[in-house]
Amino acid sequence: MQTIRARGAFTSGRVAPKAFARVQRTCRAASVIASAVKAPTLPYRVGHGFDLHRLAEGYKLIIGGIDIPHTKGCEAHSDGDVLLHTVTDAILGALCLPDIGQLFPDTDPKWKGARSDIFLKEAVRLMDEKGYVLGNLDCTIIAQKPKLSPHKENIRNNLSALLSADPSVVNIKAKTHEKVDSIGEERSIGCHAVVMLIRKDLA
């Protein structure tokens, strides 16, 4: 298995400064709204993320930054990494910030084909900026096929590296959907994640 590398305009994990400037303006606006109600600096924060993508032929299946051999991949504006999208949203949710679709809209051509670790790294940067570290992360990937058990350890290790976290606080589970609905019929793949953030002075 190989960790997905940057390509095209995203070489070295860089994107146009204007794009990230827009992301930062959105986050600052959200912070202004939050400060207006004098939100407390909580010792712990919990966030939930969910994502679902259609599966289609002609796309790579990338999960947690790992290229998974399969006949289908996720149809998406970016690289369609359902796990990294979910974890990004979980962290943003814990921080009460706009979700991934607001920060990196699929209507913006700058994110076409973008590696999803770009989104996750921005969420981690915001977590650090807000004064929190990762406590623990629990993820459940739901796919009828392919069988993900052989890839779980690679996915976990790569995700831990992207989060700068010890693998002992990152958990990956894989489930089928018992051939029910679009996931069970192999037309889509889904993921849930729950994250706990801890204030730095308590970690």
Side-chain angles (χ1 to χ4, degrees):
M1 308 309 153
Q2 295 181 344
T3 302
I4 298 306
R5 296 181 179 178
R7 60 182 182 276
F10 299 94
T11 301
S12 301
R14 297 177 184 275
V15 294
K18 288 183 180 179
F20 266 126
R22 184 158 54 252
V23 170
Q24 290 166 350
R25 285 197 300 271
T26 303
C27 289
R28 280 198 295 270
S31 296
V32 169
I33 294 171
S35 62
V37 295
K38 296 183 178 178
T41 304
L42 302 172
Y44 305 99
R45 286 178 171 268
V46 175
H48 172 261
F50 170 74
D51 198 20
L52 182 141
H53 283 301
R54 291 186 182 91
L55 289 174
E57 295 181 357
Y59 294 87
K60 286 186 175 181
L61 181 60
I62 303 169
I63 301 177
I66 302 297
D67 193 342
I68 307 296
H70 192 44
T71 57
K72 297 178 181 179
C74 290
E75 186 178 352
H77 187 67
S78 64
D79 66 5
D81 193 321
V82 69
L83 175 59
L84 296 194
H85 291 183
T86 301
V87 175
T88 298
D89 248 356
I91 294 172
L92 294 173
L95 296 170
C96 294
L97 291 174
D99 63 33
I100 189 172
Q102 292 173 275
L103 297 185
F104 306 100
D106 60 11
T107 54
D108 191 334
K110 289 184 176 66
W111 308 121
K112 178 68 175 176
R115 288 170 33 232
S116 296
D117 62 351
I118 293 171
F119 311 146
L120 181 59
K121 287 175 181 177
E122 177 62 6
V124 171
R125 187 193 69 78
L126 291 166
M127 175 179 70
D128 178 68
E129 185 180 82
K130 296 288 184 181
Y132 290 88
V133 296
L134 182 71
N136 73 295
L137 171 68
D138 187 29
C139 308
T140 303
I141 306 163
I142 312 168
Q144 195 64 36
K145 286 184 180 178
K147 190 174 180 63
L148 296 177
S149 295
H151 309 290
K152 279 170 50 176
E153 201 60 27
N154 283 339
I155 292 170
R156 180 189 185 194
N157 289 335
N158 196 54
L159 179 56
S160 299
L162 291 172
L163 293 165
S164 298
D166 191 279
S168 65
V169 301
V170 176
N171 190 43
I172 303 292
K173 303 191 298 293
K175 307 286 184 183
T176 69
H177 215 244
E178 299 297 333
K179 300 183 179 181
V180 176
D181 296 336
S182 66
I183 295 178
E185 294 169 358
E186 302 175 42
R187 293 186 288 112
S188 65
I189 183 172
C191 186
H192 288 269
V194 177
V195 64
M196 174 177 281
L197 308 184
I198 303 175
R199 205 171 63 203
K200 288 180 181 179
D201 62 312
L202 298 175

